[in-house]
Amino acid sequence: MRKKFFSLLLIFILALSMTQTAYATSISDLQKQRQEKENQKKGTQSQLDSVNDQINDLSGEKDDVDAQISELTGQIAEIMASVSLLEDEIADTQVQIEQAQKDYDEAKAKEEAQYHAMKKRIQYLYEKGETSYLELFMEAKSWSDMLNKAEYVQEIYTYDRKMLDNYAATVQEVAQLKESLEEQKSELEAAEYELEQEKASLQESLDEQKEIAADYEVQLAKAKQEAAAYKAKIKQQNAEIQKLASQEAAKKAEEEARKREEEAQKKKQNSQSTQNSSGGTSTASSGGAKTVPPKIGSGSGSDIAQYACQFVGNPYVPGGTSLTSGADCSGFTQSVYRVYGYSIPRNSSSQRSAGREVSYEEAQPGDLICYAGHVAIYLGNGRIVHASSVKTGIKYGNATYKPILSVRRIVN
């Protein structure tokens, strides 16, 4: 009996020892698993933060793209309105040209009719020779009658001569008007061409920005899906951590011991940190990095204006930028300014935003004079030099020959 009792006691002690060992092993595993889950959660949270930063960046960049799309759309609308106005001007000018041609043809016909009538009257007076001319006066009943006949002949000649001169002057005047109208039409067509080029360029930029915006939409949708997946994963990890924490609570004594040890370790670290910080020295420098001043252009406005005049007579070439071989209006101004180190946009509508705005009364040589679909360089005293049209090339002109939209000061 006694032997049996000791045998049972031994079995109970062994079982209790095995239970304690297994329980201790379970707590160690729980701590390790919880730490792994915490680390996984931190990694997931870091990934979520990164995705949220990406969403914020994409949203900000998309807002910028949307703003550019809005601005480009406005610029295209403005150019389309300008083109419409130019088309109306071209149509009106064409009507005036056709009317001038009719007036020219009518004046020319009257001139020729008057010329032939005068020839017939002269022929009538002189075709029978000197005798008939003398008979005209011999038939006079008195000196007074003879003088009246002579004056009548002279008046006929003077009238014919005067009418012929008047018709010839009218023909010349109408021809000059027609030439002027054709030149005006050529300039309007050149301005329309340049506006169409600007519109095409802006439309291309608009299409690119729309593609970028669409790409941002796709990226945003993908990033938001990733964020939702990370949030779900964090929620799952939190549930697993809570479950492990509940299991660890069964060993409060061991947990409190671990906390005391961690607090002691933390105090030690804080003490070391305080000592290190008190013995350190500041290495901050009070001096900031010096920025390199921006490069600026050279030459005065008068220099630029004088230089531009050297190319008067050179051709107008749509889309061209060569001062010698040919340029359009904005290519001409851009190339002139580039010689002096100034960079301005390529097309005329963009050049209306270059430099700073000044009034026409304040305009100085070298300033840009901006019109609808056109731009020129101011020379002073109401004069400009500009690449005008295919017909007239680079030439001088009056600054107010058409409505001025803006005067830009490029040279400080």
Side-chain angles (χ1 to χ4, degrees):
M1 185 75 180
R2 193 173 182 179
K3 184 176 180 182
K4 185 177 180 181
F5 173 77
F6 280 114
S7 296
L8 291 171
L9 180 62
L10 180 59
I11 291 171
F12 175 75
I13 293 171
L14 288 172
L16 181 62
S17 175
M18 290 176 65
T19 302
Q20 288 177 342
T21 302
Y23 191 65
T25 302
S26 177
I27 292 297
S28 177
D29 288 343
L30 286 172
Q31 290 176 342
K32 184 177 180 181
Q33 290 174 19
R34 187 174 66 82
Q35 187 62 44
E36 289 176 352
K37 292 296 182 182
E38 289 284 358
N39 291 337
Q40 289 174 0
K41 178 189 171 184
K42 289 180 181 178
T44 305
Q45 184 64 51
S46 176
Q47 291 173 321
L48 176 60
D49 292 341
S50 176
V51 172
N52 284 330
D53 289 341
Q54 183 182 4
I55 289 174
N56 291 332
D57 291 342
L58 288 171
S59 297
E61 291 172 2
K62 185 179 180 299
D63 289 342
D64 292 340
V65 172
D66 289 341
Q68 292 181 32
I69 288 174
S70 178
E71 181 180 355
L72 288 169
T73 302
Q75 291 179 4
I76 289 174
E78 180 183 347
I79 286 178
M80 289 176 67
S82 297
V83 169
S84 178
L85 291 173
L86 283 173
E87 288 175 347
D88 291 342
E89 287 188 53
I90 290 171
D92 291 342
T93 304
Q94 182 60 39
V95 170
Q96 295 178 47
I97 290 173
E98 292 172 358
Q99 183 60 46
Q101 183 64 51
K102 291 179 181 178
D103 293 343
Y104 175 83
D105 294 339
E106 182 179 347
K108 190 67 176 175
K110 287 182 178 180
E111 179 192 24
E112 292 177 356
Q114 182 64 26
Y115 175 72
H116 288 302
M118 183 181 71
K119 282 177 63 178
K120 287 181 179 180
R121 278 192 283 271
I122 293 173
Q123 182 180 5
Y124 176 77
L125 292 173
Y126 296 105
E127 67 181 355
K128 295 183 179 180
E130 188 174 324
T131 303
S132 297
Y133 183 73
L134 289 174
E135 287 177 354
L136 180 67
F137 294 101
M138 292 298 293
E139 291 174 359
K141 297 178 180 180
S142 64
W143 282 106
S144 176
D145 187 26
M146 185 175 67
L147 290 175
N148 287 336
K149 291 181 181 296
E151 288 176 0
Y152 172 72
V153 172
Q154 183 62 36
E155 285 176 0
I156 291 175
Y157 173 78
T158 301
Y159 170 79
D160 285 333
R161 180 73 260 177
K162 182 179 178 181
M163 292 299 295
L164 193 59
D165 290 342
N166 287 341
Y167 288 133
T170 301
V171 168
Q172 183 178 2
E173 181 181 346
V174 174
Q176 290 175 348
L177 175 61
K178 181 173 176 290
E179 176 70 18
S180 175
L181 289 170
E182 289 177 345
E183 182 176 319
Q184 180 181 343
K185 180 185 176 185
S186 177
E187 291 180 352
L188 290 172
E189 289 173 341
E192 181 186 22
Y193 165 79
E194 296 200 13
L195 283 174
E196 290 290 355
Q197 293 297 108
E198 292 174 25
K199 178 186 172 185
S201 175
L202 289 173
Q203 186 64 51
E204 183 178 351
S205 299
L206 179 61
D207 293 340
E208 291 176 357
Q209 293 300 318
K210 285 183 177 180
E211 289 181 5
I212 294 172
D215 185 55
Y216 278 129
E217 290 286 358
V218 173
Q219 294 183 56
L220 277 169
K222 183 179 179 181
K224 288 177 180 178
Q225 288 178 351
E226 291 178 3
Y230 284 131
K231 287 178 181 178
K233 190 174 182 180
I234 289 173
K235 185 176 181 180
Q236 179 184 358
Q237 289 171 339
N238 280 332
E240 292 174 354
I241 290 170
Q242 288 297 326
K243 183 178 178 180
L244 292 171
S246 297
Q247 293 174 357
E248 286 183 59
K251 274 297 189 178
K252 187 176 181 179
E254 289 83 351
E255 183 68 21
E256 298 221 352
R258 184 181 64 80
K259 286 183 178 181
R260 286 195 295 271
E261 182 180 356
E262 286 181 354
E263 288 176 0
Q265 184 68 23
K266 187 176 181 180
K267 289 180 179 179
K268 182 178 178 182
Q269 291 176 351
N270 288 338
S271 176
Q272 291 176 350
S273 175
T274 302
Q275 292 176 358
N276 291 336
S277 62
S278 63
T281 58
S282 175
T283 60
S285 172
S286 60
K290 295 182 177 179
T291 59
V292 179
K295 180 180 180 182
I296 61 174
S298 62
S300 66
S302 296
D303 293 336
I304 290 173
Q306 185 177 2
Y307 178 76
C309 293
Q310 299 179 29
F311 305 101
V312 170
N314 287 349
Y316 175 102
V317 175
T321 58
S322 173
L323 296 173
T324 54
S325 301
D328 56 25
C329 69
S330 55
F332 172 66
T333 53
Q334 184 190 54
S335 298
V336 168
Y337 274 97
R338 184 187 294 119
V339 171
Y340 287 87
Y342 291 96
S343 177
I344 60 175
R346 173 61 183 88
N347 57 58
S348 59
S349 63
S350 297
Q351 289 182 12
R352 288 205 300 271
S353 301
R356 63 184 178 89
E357 175 89 18
V358 297
S359 67
Y360 177 67
E361 290 73 17
E362 298 173 315
Q364 298 177 0
D367 289 346
L368 287 179
I369 306 294
C370 303
Y371 311 90
H374 194 61
V375 66
I377 294 176
Y378 189 61
L379 301 177
N381 297 322
R383 301 288 292 166
I384 57 172
V385 60
H386 59 142
S388 174
S389 67
V390 174
K391 186 172 183 178
T392 57
I394 299 173
K395 69 169 191 174
Y396 297 112
N398 293 320
T400 56
Y401 82 106
K402 61 191 300 187
I404 296 173
L405 299 184
S406 180
V407 180
R408 311 302 299 186
R409 178 71 47 78
I410 307 299
V411 179
N412 295 324

